[in-house]
Amino acid sequence: DQQVKQNSPSLSVQEGRISILNCDYTNSMFDYFLWYKKYPAEGPTFLISISSIKDKNEDGRFTVFLNKSAKHLSLHIVPSQPGDSAVYFCAAKTSGTYKYIFGTGTRLKVLA
Amino acid sequence: KAGVTQTPRYLIKTRGQQVTLSCSPISGHRSVSWYQQTPGQGLQFLFEYFSETQRNKGNFPGRFSGRQFSNSRSEMNVSTLELGDSALYLCASSAGTHNEQFFGPGTRLTVL
């Protein structure tokens, strides 16, 4: 049972444009969400997180939006750069647990 | 501050053997989690340890086990290896709840 879903396995975007990566979840008890970026042969690197009490969190070029009613979150990267090309994972957890549930990842390719 | 380290980086075993993987968390981090990453499956949560106690466990068979030492270093063990255990095993450490996890580079296990 995949509680966190990233339905787009891949995405290509032109340099300078906006990249939008999507993530859906089914467990309404999730209240903390994170995005990670992963390059080949490296472990995932934390990008940005959001608590369920917020609907938006911004950090530089990265913004995460949370729509609790739709059980949907998205990561916006503006402007996209070739160095952003990587696999992006969203993850979710419930307060009081220490178990992060990850999506299957979306491979982003930013074209120069 | 040194990052999360995992040893060995690569490992080749045959079916039926057992394997032990090691993880050293970031200094001061007391929580260590383990994940299995396979193509198309994302990161699957194995277990999480805090102060030598397993606090959460994922849906893996009993062949997968782990432990944490008093210095927060952690090991995971897989007994009676199967071909399907071939994967990248990732370790992550964090300072506590609602904190992002910092991942190591992973151990690539191949079972022949």
Side-chain angles (χ1 to χ4, degrees):
Chain A
D1 175 29
Q2 194 69 30
Q3 297 184 65
V4 178
K5 300 178 184 179
Q6 293 177 257
N7 293 317
S8 298
S10 63
L11 175 69
S12 290
V13 170
Q14 284 296 132
E15 181 180 6
R17 300 290 186 107
I18 183 172
S19 294
I20 300 177
L21 297 99
N22 295 302
C23 180
D24 296 295
Y25 60 96
T26 58
N27 189 340
S28 57
M29 298 299 291
F30 288 148
D31 58 6
Y32 195 70
F33 305 87
L34 310 92
W35 283 94
Y36 284 84
K37 175 170 72 173
K38 187 179 185 300
Y39 293 119
E42 294 182 13
T45 303
F46 170 76
L47 270 178
I48 191 168
S49 63
I50 188 167
S51 165
S52 61
I53 62 173
K54 294 185 175 182
D55 53 21
K56 177 183 173 181
N57 189 25
E58 197 170 351
D59 183 2
R61 296 186 298 116
F62 302 92
T63 302
V64 56
F65 295 93
L66 176 61
N67 182 332
K68 290 184 288 293
S69 60
K71 294 192 180 67
H72 177 84
L73 66 154
S74 60
L75 174 68
H76 292 209
I77 306 173
V78 185
S80 300
Q81 300 173 353
D84 296 330
S85 297
V87 177
Y88 289 78
F89 291 97
C90 65
K93 73 181 289 287
T94 303
S95 290
T97 74
Y98 311 97
K99 180 177 176 180
Y100 291 78
I101 306 299
F102 280 75
T104 52
T106 295
R107 183 177 301 278
L108 173 65
K109 189 171 184 180
V110 180
L111 307 170
Chain B
K1 217 178 211 183
V4 178
T5 57
Q6 292 187 246
T7 56
R9 291 293 310 277
Y10 301 92
L11 206 49
I12 299 176
K13 292 285 188 178
T14 56
R15 280 181 299 173
Q17 287 187 309
Q18 76 165 17
V19 67
T20 299
L21 312 182
S22 181
C23 171
S24 292
I26 291 172
S27 177
H29 284 190
R30 296 166 65 188
S31 170
V32 174
S33 298
W34 288 90
Y35 295 85
Q36 180 195 68
Q37 185 188 7
T38 53
Q41 292 296 313
L43 279 71
Q44 303 286 311
F45 175 82
L46 280 156
F47 28 65
E48 187 262 355
Y49 287 88
F50 183 88
S51 292
E52 303 178 66
T53 300
Q54 185 183 91
R55 295 193 298 190
N56 277 98
K57 191 177 190 309
N59 299 324
F60 278 81
R63 299 185 298 107
F64 292 81
S65 63
R67 60 177 175 169
Q68 187 180 34
F69 301 95
S70 58
N71 61 359
S72 294
R73 190 177 70 84
S74 178
E75 289 181 346
M76 70 162 278
N77 184 277
V78 188
S79 62
T80 320
L81 283 166
E82 300 177 0
L83 294 178
D85 297 334
S86 294
L88 179 67
Y89 289 89
L90 291 158
C91 162
S93 75
S94 71
T97 59
H98 271 339
N99 284 58
E100 64 267 22
Q101 295 183 312
F102 295 86
F103 282 83
T107 294
R108 172 73 61 186
L109 172 66
T110 302
V111 182
L112 303 175

